[in-house]
Amino acid sequence: MSIAAIEAVGLGKRYGRLGKWAVQDCSFRLPQGQICALVGPNGAGKSTLLGQLAGLVRPSRGELRVMGKTPGAARQQLAFLAQEKPLYPQFTIEETLRMGQELNPGHWDAERAARIVKEGDLDPGTKVRELSGGQRTRVALALCLGKQPDLLLLDEPMADLDPLARHQLMGNLLAEAGESGTTVVISSHILAELEGACDYLLLMENGRIRLGGETDELLSAHALLSGPVTEIGAGTTVVESKVTGRHMTALVRRDSEPLGGDWEVVEPTLEELLLAHMRSPQAPALLTPSAEPQAVRAGAGVAA
Amino acid sequence: MVEYRIDRRSGVATYLQIVQQTKHALRLGLLEPGDQLPTARAVVEATAINPNTVLKAYRELEREGLVEARRGMGTFVTRSLGAAQPADSPLREELRKWAERARSSGMDKDDVAALFTSVLDQIFEGEQG
């Protein structure tokens, strides 16, 4: 198997000696070339995890490999866009891109950076402080992609953009990433903005990964049942169930087939899957085989 | 050139929407052998969907022998679909007259569509749509 873009085992981060664990017992693997959504409620630990991946936040515990190296050693191969999109306000767009070139000698794609700016109809002579939120995001993204990273980490990149700017920028980003095979991790708490764009998913809550894997596989690993109130078989993991009078709906794992009972069975939508998990903190975590760190899998093999 | 419209709420897998819309265009003669499909990059930029989804759809169309990827040039239509009936074919004209008779007999659009579908199902029973 080729080197994973990210491999984390038992990763943890606590701010201060007695503080709360922002990231806790976090284990997953992200194969290369995926466009991955990192979703979860506010305070789930998404930004801390991204900081750790970018090599800016030192893990308190656990193992972390980015493109097979420590995040510090992989710095040249990764680009990180923080939530506040830090840029020098006094620089013009042109000067900002020039800075990208000087800071990334030997692996800067000036043509690509200029193209992304141009697709937004921006004048390279404009100062950064005169740009709107969306334009600023576009320039920051041009800076990230000009570096030609193997792994691109984006923390809530589209949060302050209007729907049109969001759609255009997402289109540009996906087209660039698709052409160069870049692995992308995008964090967000807005599910709609990522549906259809991401083929991989990490659901994070309370510092832990609750769901991880190919979006298609995670969806087909679950079923949405509806029908008369019935006992669900003991072998089936119930994520969430709701009873309304004599009618019942339940989101379950397809871990024991057939599901039995007089159910109408459909595949949940991404939103239904995520919301059901967020409402049910007791539901066990699920990683598809490709999302399981190999160190963990090797251990399981020994136990069997 | 076709333009794809992705409906995220339709419940139909995104790659299938691209496959179906391409076939639809082939049936209507909007795409003909030799025509080029939009590049994956153009589709991704216009729709903001995952690049792998577009490639999956094009691979599926290629597997069905409808298009061909030419290295470095793009994806091209290799054959049309169905017994393509041009807009002014005799069959279409007959159907038009039939639909008019149905309306003058007091049926509304949904009634006509239901009747038409039920006859289609009867005649093409057992065949793949």
Side-chain angles (χ1 to χ4, degrees):
Chain A
M1 201 177 282
S2 65
I3 297 171
I6 302 171
E7 187 145 3
V9 179
L11 200 62
K13 171 66 191 175
R14 173 152 71 171
Y15 291 104
R17 203 164 52 87
L18 299 169
K20 182 176 164 284
W21 287 90
V23 170
Q24 188 171 198
D25 237 347
C26 188
S27 299
F28 67 95
R29 179 177 184 277
L30 175 63
Q32 286 191 48
Q34 306 285 342
I35 313 284
C36 174
L38 175 60
V39 297
N42 291 320
K46 302 188 295 288
S47 293
T48 301
L49 177 63
L50 285 172
Q52 288 179 322
L53 295 171
L56 300 175
V57 175
R58 186 189 297 276
S60 313
R61 158 185 302 183
E63 279 288 310
L64 179 58
R65 288 283 174 275
V66 173
M67 306 304 296
K69 305 168 188 162
T70 63
R75 183 156 289 185
Q76 205 190 85
Q77 287 167 273
L78 60 87
F80 172 56
L81 177 54
Q83 210 169 332
E84 52 278 13
K85 289 145 201 152
L87 291 170
Y88 292 106
Q90 301 299 334
F91 279 16
T92 65
I93 296 175
E94 200 168 18
E95 286 162 348
T96 304
L97 297 188
R98 170 87 194 283
M99 174 187 75
Q101 180 155 23
E102 300 295 333
L103 290 175
N104 296 285
H107 57 100
W108 178 256
D109 186 341
E111 203 178 300
R112 184 192 215 186
R115 180 171 64 231
I116 294 162
V117 166
K118 202 173 148 221
E119 273 159 357
D121 257 338
L122 297 179
D123 172 11
T126 316
K127 284 210 160 96
V128 165
R129 66 173 148 80
E130 290 160 19
L131 298 176
S132 71
Q135 293 169 331
R136 194 184 284 244
T137 304
R138 180 174 285 280
V139 173
L141 208 54
L143 202 54
C144 286
L145 284 164
K147 187 180 177 180
Q148 305 189 73
D150 295 318
L151 174 63
L152 175 57
L153 305 167
L154 305 170
D155 194 0
E156 304 257 2
M158 312 290 176
D160 51 359
L161 305 194
D162 65 72
L164 178 64
R166 188 177 292 178
H167 188 85
Q168 283 174 342
L169 211 54
M170 199 70 175
N172 289 153
L173 166 67
L174 291 172
E176 294 291 340
E179 246 172 26
S180 51
T182 311
T183 310
V184 184
V185 180
I186 310 174
S187 80
S188 178
H189 57 266
I190 306 166
L191 311 174
E193 113 182 359
L194 299 174
E195 190 155 18
C198 299
D199 47 15
Y200 218 83
L201 179 81
L202 292 169
L203 169 63
M204 194 172 191
E205 211 170 4
N206 291 322
R208 292 185 168 88
I209 299 295
R210 300 202 48 208
L211 288 172
E214 298 83 351
T215 314
D216 290 351
E217 286 190 28
L218 286 172
L219 288 173
S220 59
H222 291 83
L224 198 58
L225 311 179
S226 66
V229 176
T230 327
E231 199 72 31
I232 298 175
T236 304
T237 307
V238 179
V239 177
E240 184 188 48
S241 70
K242 267 184 289 197
V243 174
T244 320
R246 269 169 294 170
H247 188 83
M248 169 170 175
T249 58
L251 189 105
V252 302
R253 299 255 161 92
R254 285 177 173 272
D255 36 17
S256 71
E257 302 276 357
L259 290 157
D262 200 8
W263 302 105
E264 190 197 328
V265 180
V266 293
E267 192 171 285
T269 64
L270 185 58
E271 191 165 16
E272 284 165 342
L273 178 72
L274 293 172
L275 288 177
H277 278 82
M278 289 194 234
R279 281 190 297 252
S280 313
Q282 83 292 345
L286 177 69
L287 297 181
T288 67
S290 75
E292 267 183 41
Q294 283 171 325
V296 169
R297 218 169 342 162
V302 171
Chain B
M1 196 68 113
V2 284
E3 211 170 292
Y4 297 111
R5 281 185 57 248
I6 304 303
D7 181 359
R8 288 181 162 77
R9 304 238 163 257
S10 70
V12 178
T14 311
Y15 91 94
L16 264 183
Q17 294 187 38
I18 295 178
V19 169
Q20 285 168 355
Q21 286 173 29
T22 310
K23 287 183 177 173
H24 194 69
L26 287 168
R27 284 207 179 86
L28 292 177
L30 298 173
L31 277 177
E32 289 174 352
D35 284 353
Q36 189 178 2
L37 294 186
T39 61
R41 187 189 172 98
V43 177
V44 170
E45 287 202 325
T47 57
I49 58 168
N50 191 289
N52 296 329
T53 307
V54 185
L55 297 177
K56 185 175 174 188
Y58 282 14
R59 270 199 308 275
E60 174 64 22
L61 289 166
E62 200 170 0
R63 201 185 57 77
E64 294 184 30
L66 298 172
V67 304
E68 170 188 68
R70 291 183 207 150
R71 237 192 142 68
M73 295 178 65
T75 305
F76 293 84
V77 176
T78 47
R79 77 179 169 85
S80 58
L81 252 188
Q85 293 290 336
D88 56 354
S89 76
L91 275 176
R92 189 191 166 95
E93 185 53 28
E94 278 177 49
L95 184 60
R96 197 182 62 75
K97 285 191 182 137
W98 176 82
E100 272 172 5
R101 278 210 307 281
R103 183 170 62 182
S104 54
S105 78
M107 295 171 80
D108 69 14
K109 193 178 168 187
D110 288 343
D111 296 335
V112 176
L115 177 60
F116 184 70
T117 311
S118 107
V119 172
L120 276 189
D121 288 348
Q122 200 183 351
I123 293 198
F124 292 97
E125 199 183 343
E127 287 180 33
Q128 275 290 334

